Amino acid sequence: MKFIPLLLASIMSTASASTVYDHELLDIDGEKTSLSAHKGKVLLLVNVASRCGFTRQYKGLEELHRQYKDKGLVICGFPCNQFGGQEPGSEAEIKEFCSTKFGVSFPMYSKIDVNGDNRHPLYKSIIGENGPFKGNVKWNFTKILIGKDGQPIDRFGSMTSPTSKKLIKAIEAALEG
C-alpha cells in the first residue's frame, strides 16, 4: 500500500515537469525567472538575433505582441549566437538594440543555445530527443507555439513571417482553445 502514494507522487512530479513552466531561465537583465508567470497563456518562443537577414521580424513580433497580448499571447525572445555568429553582443547590447531599433516590449531572455550539447533544457524538452518536435533549430527566428496548457502545439521556421496567415491562424486557434 505504501508504494501507491510513491507511484502517484512520481507520476505527478513527471507530469508537472512535462510543461515549459518549470525550466529556470535568466531574463535579459540576468535575473532568475521561468515561464511560470505566463501559465494559462499562449506562448510564442523565438530564437532571435540582431545581425540576421530575418532581424526585421522583430517588427512583426512586436506587432503580434501588441495585437494579441490582451487576449493572452506572450512572445518570448531568446537571443542565440549559434547561427553564423549573428548575435555576438552582450545582453545589455541586445536589449538596447531591440528597444531602440524595434521598440520591443515583449519579454526577452538571456542568450541561450538551442542546439547541441549545451542546448538549454527548455529547448531540449521541446525539440530534444524526447521532445514532441524533435530536431535541431535550423536558423534564427524559428518560432515554437506553446498552448495554454504549456504543451507545444506547432513549430514554424525562419521563413514564416510573424504576419503570416498560417502563424496568425495557429495563434488565434490556440487563444480560443
Side-chain angles (χ1 to χ4, degrees):
M1 284 303 246
K2 288 184 179 182
F3 121 88
I4 290 175
L6 280 174
L7 178 63
L8 284 174
S10 173
I11 290 169
M12 295 304 287
S13 110
T14 302
S16 68
S18 66
T19 68
V20 298
Y21 303 120
D22 297 322
H23 298 285
E24 187 175 291
L25 299 167
L26 293 177
D27 68 18
I28 197 77
D29 296 316
E31 299 294 322
K32 284 186 181 181
T33 189
S34 71
L35 297 176
S36 64
H38 308 304
K39 276 186 180 178
K41 297 189 177 189
V42 173
L43 308 178
L44 187 65
L45 312 182
V46 187
N47 64 299
V48 296
S50 301
R51 298 182 183 171
C52 175
F54 294 107
T55 299
R56 66 188 174 276
Q57 287 192 19
Y58 269 122
K59 181 179 186 238
L61 291 169
E62 181 61 22
E63 288 170 4
L64 272 180
H65 169 69
R66 290 175 193 246
Q67 182 176 355
Y68 291 100
K69 70 179 179 178
D70 292 337
K71 296 177 183 173
L73 176 68
V74 180
I75 310 283
C76 301
F78 293 93
C80 180
N81 195 39
Q82 289 188 290
F83 305 102
Q86 295 179 346
E87 189 60 279
S90 68
E91 275 78 2
E93 292 167 330
I94 294 165
K95 181 179 178 180
E96 175 74 14
F97 173 82
C98 291
S99 63
T100 58
K101 180 99 172 148
F102 295 100
V104 167
S105 61
F106 54 82
M108 292 286 294
Y109 297 87
S110 287
K111 204 183 297 188
I112 63 169
D113 283 353
V114 296
N115 291 333
D117 293 340
N118 294 321
R119 176 183 280 162
H120 191 279
L122 172 63
Y123 273 78
K124 187 180 271 186
S125 73
I126 299 168
I127 64 170
E129 192 173 304
N130 297 317
F133 291 105
K134 293 179 202 162
N136 285 333
V137 169
K138 304 255 189 285
W139 201 253
N140 301 310
F141 291 89
T142 294
K143 298 149 203 77
I144 300 173
L145 186 62
I146 308 292
K148 293 177 184 179
D149 60 356
Q151 297 300 317
I153 295 173
D154 208 343
R155 179 176 172 169
F156 302 88
S158 305
M159 296 298 287
T160 302
S161 156
T163 58
S164 81
K165 289 179 183 175
K166 178 181 173 184
L167 178 60
I168 290 172
K169 185 176 179 180
I171 289 169
E172 288 176 347
L175 289 168
E176 289 173 12

